[in-house]
Amino acid sequence: MFTRSELESKTLKELKDLAACYGIKPVGNPGYKTSWITPLLAFPMQAIQQFQDHKKGLRNPSWRSSEALGTILYEIGEPTDEQAALIRATLEGKLLPLPERYEQTRLLNLHKTKQLIQEAIETLNK
């Protein structure tokens, strides 16, 4: 991501600003450029190593967890023609009177939830 020479050419303030942009903390005395250069050079590989180690931070879900997402999708099911029509009408801003509007909103929220779970599964499978 960064080269040592690229970072060494920056001022202390520029290094601090760059580190702040990524949420990187200095190693040692923050008054020295090397205290900022070292973690800026190291963080990409540390992040990859942490991901590969599966011990802390973001980890791939287990097969069982992925299977649970599929189970949730199965339980949610597919909308009927009438439900799909109501979802489309709701997305157009057409609302039922109360108290049916509550169920209309719940139906739309379930539809959105299903879409997000499907998107999550597709993203995890890439």
Side-chain angles (χ1 to χ4, degrees):
M1 289 189 62
F2 303 109
T3 64
R4 180 170 289 282
S5 59
E6 174 187 5
L7 294 174
E8 286 174 348
S9 69
K10 295 188 180 297
T11 66
L12 182 59
K13 181 181 178 347
E14 289 173 326
L15 289 170
K16 286 180 179 182
D17 290 345
L18 184 61
C21 177
Y22 293 105
I24 302 298
K25 296 176 180 79
V27 175
N29 186 335
Y32 295 110
K33 286 173 64 170
T34 54
S35 296
W36 296 96
I37 291 172
T38 302
L40 283 167
L41 285 172
F43 84 85
M45 294 312 296
Q46 283 180 318
I48 296 297
Q49 188 62 49
Q50 290 165 350
F51 180 66
Q52 291 173 340
D53 289 346
H54 306 285
K55 292 183 181 164
K56 61 181 177 179
L58 294 177
R59 306 180 285 286
N60 281 316
S62 66
W63 182 83
R64 178 176 274 164
S65 297
S66 298
E67 185 180 42
L69 289 175
T71 301
I72 291 170
L73 282 181
Y74 175 78
E75 288 179 6
I76 291 173
E78 294 294 327
T80 64
D81 292 343
E82 294 79 12
Q83 289 171 338
L86 181 57
I87 290 167
R88 281 193 293 279
T90 307
L91 290 170
E92 292 172 359
K94 296 178 174 79
L95 300 175
L96 292 169
L98 294 173
E100 290 84 6
R101 186 180 306 169
Y102 294 119
E103 292 302 316
Q104 180 183 14
T105 302
R106 288 184 62 213
L107 179 66
L108 178 63
N109 288 341
L110 186 60
H111 171 72
K112 288 178 180 179
T113 299
K114 181 178 179 178
Q115 288 179 321
L116 290 170
I117 293 170
Q118 287 171 321
E119 185 179 329
I121 290 170
E122 289 170 12
T123 302
L124 288 171
N125 288 334
K126 287 183 181 179

